[in-house]
Amino acid sequence: MRAVAEQVAAEAAEHLRGLPAPHDDGVTTKSSPTDVVTASDASVERFVRDRLAQLRPGEPVYGEEGAGDAAAARWVVDPIDGTVNYLYGLPWYGISIAAVLDGEGVAGAVSEPASGRLWSAGRGLGATLDGRPLRAAATTELGQSLVGTGFAYRAERRARQARMVAAMLPEVRDVRRAGAASLDLCAVAAGWLDGYLEHGCNWWDWAAGALIATEAGAVVHVAGSPGVRGPVDGDALGADVTLAAAPGVAADLAALARRSGADTV
């Protein structure tokens, strides 16, 4: 299943590279005027669904654009995670494909069409970037940690998230907001980020990336959705929080988020 996820993610990246650049007349919105969907999102998801139907016939797919039955899903797909980046020509976007069994991730891959990189993991088999093993950072000091985050599409929630991040900022090295949850989780797996915290992610956003981070040794907590659970007590972090961090700073990052009002976001 890991090999299938890798194959389809890589093929989907090639498919996306062959599509025309997005234009305003091919863009629609979903939950808010800033929550965009391009024609490419739909095209990539159709491609992925078709390939999975060929390679794993009869296995249900749950995807961001085509949805499906989450309870029955064997594959969870985000055709373009970071659509706003893609729309603006920024390279930080990915295609996320995860295989699940009884709601738990067992394999997954995230491809980066702009760079050609391919991240993947299998349950109990470790995580890799282009075939090279990944390991989360050895950081033990929260004050020296680089932390990733993200913001919601709705303005009122972004304001609450901004207040939380403002309270956290003096107590970490710095904060990054790249705009693609799957790749932020992969960055934790690679040690490029020491931690990542975001509210409001959906299952397709983190299904593959959370497994990749977990298999690289990161502490991962995902609340409010089926899938990954970790040793961090996330009860006071909010009902839909995603947290991934190097083991040496995970508890301190969670505590800082609580002090900074994570439960009000």
Side-chain angles (χ1 to χ4, degrees):
M1 295 182 86
R2 180 181 185 176
V4 169
E6 290 177 338
Q7 177 182 342
V8 177
E11 290 176 354
E14 184 65 26
H15 173 77
L16 179 58
R17 285 191 290 266
L19 295 177
H23 300 287
D24 290 342
D25 58 359
V27 176
T28 58
T29 60
K30 294 190 289 187
S31 63
S32 80
T34 58
D35 185 5
V36 299
V37 181
T38 69
S40 297
D41 290 86
S43 178
V44 172
E45 184 159 326
R46 285 193 301 270
F47 178 89
V48 170
R49 286 176 179 271
D50 288 346
R51 290 297 287 134
L52 289 174
Q54 294 166 0
L55 297 169
R56 303 289 297 193
E59 296 185 350
V61 177
Y62 183 67
E64 180 175 12
E65 308 309 331
D69 183 355
R74 292 298 304 276
W75 296 91
V76 181
V77 175
D78 192 339
I80 304 179
D81 181 30
T83 298
V84 173
N85 287 347
Y86 170 69
L87 177 63
Y88 276 77
L90 296 171
W92 195 246
Y93 55 90
I95 297 169
S96 175
I97 302 174
V100 299
L101 182 62
D102 297 327
E104 298 288 335
V106 295
V110 178
S111 61
E112 290 183 60
S115 68
R117 288 190 288 237
L118 181 65
W119 312 77
S120 82
R123 177 70 68 190
L125 300 174
T128 60
L129 167 57
D130 294 334
R132 299 187 300 275
L134 294 172
R135 198 69 192 164
T139 309
T140 57
E141 295 183 40
L142 186 62
Q144 297 300 309
S145 296
L146 186 64
V147 177
T149 193
F151 298 104
Y153 291 112
R154 294 189 179 278
E156 61 274 15
R157 194 168 209 201
R158 285 204 303 269
R160 297 195 298 272
Q161 290 170 316
R163 287 193 291 271
M164 179 192 73
V165 172
M168 295 175 66
L169 189 54
E171 299 192 47
V172 298
R173 181 191 293 273
D174 208 342
V175 171
R176 295 290 182 268
R177 192 276 201 264
S182 62
L183 294 178
D184 284 332
L185 288 161
C186 288
V188 173
W192 300 351
L193 289 174
D194 300 297
Y196 163 71
L197 175 77
E198 182 172 354
H199 291 79
C201 292
N202 294 296
W203 193 12
W204 49 72
D205 295 313
W206 56 259
L211 179 63
I212 292 168
T214 299
E215 287 296 317
V219 173
V220 176
H221 173 88
V222 178
S225 296
V228 177
R229 298 290 184 268
V232 167
D233 179 8
D235 291 345
L237 297 179
D240 59 355
V241 70
T242 300
L243 181 147
V249 296
D252 289 341
L253 178 61
L256 173 59
R258 286 193 291 270
R259 294 196 304 272
S260 301
D263 63 331
T264 69
V265 169

